[in-house]
Amino acid sequence: MDPATVKQKLIAVLRQIQADSSLDCPPLTGDTIPVEDLPGFDSKVWPVATTMLAAEIGATIPNDVNIFVNETTNLPRSIDEIAVFVSEVLKKHSEQQAAAA
């Protein structure tokens, strides 16, 4: 799945979470860093957002993958970085499934 599609779906999911939580949602762009820029968006919400995104894109995002924080640098990702990362994760996952088949 291409990063542009993932980005579009991710922005919709983030807006929905903020609305459902009755929290403010600033304008979301590719430069927005959800972990820093969204009120109340913390590590308790991340798995919910990841699950909702997976449902929106119709793909599986492994449970052990944190899409919101880079595990190597421990720095939070921007929406653009998340979109690229998720696209890469999905590509690797599909390649692993194909190799196992």
Side-chain angles (χ1 to χ4, degrees):
M1 177 161 295
D2 69 290
T5 302
V6 174
K7 176 182 174 179
Q8 175 189 7
K9 302 286 187 181
L10 176 60
I11 287 174
V13 164
L14 294 173
R15 284 187 181 134
Q16 184 65 46
I17 287 172
Q18 293 305 104
D20 290 349
S21 303
S22 300
L23 295 168
D24 288 336
C25 186
L28 300 177
T29 68
D31 294 330
T32 301
I33 299 173
V35 173
E36 295 177 353
D37 299 333
L38 294 179
F41 194 80
D42 58 22
S43 60
K44 294 178 183 175
V45 181
W46 302 346
V48 175
T50 302
T51 301
M52 289 173 66
L53 177 61
E56 283 292 317
I57 61 177
T60 300
I61 299 172
N63 290 332
D64 62 342
V65 174
N66 184 343
I67 67 172
F68 295 100
V69 176
N70 184 319
E71 292 182 2
T72 305
T73 64
N74 288 324
L75 296 173
R77 293 184 171 105
S78 69
I79 287 177
D80 280 344
E81 291 169 335
I82 294 167
V84 169
F85 178 73
V86 168
S87 294
E88 291 170 356
V89 166
L90 296 178
K91 182 180 177 191
K92 284 181 190 174
H93 190 70
S94 67
E95 288 172 354
Q96 288 172 346
Q97 284 184 326

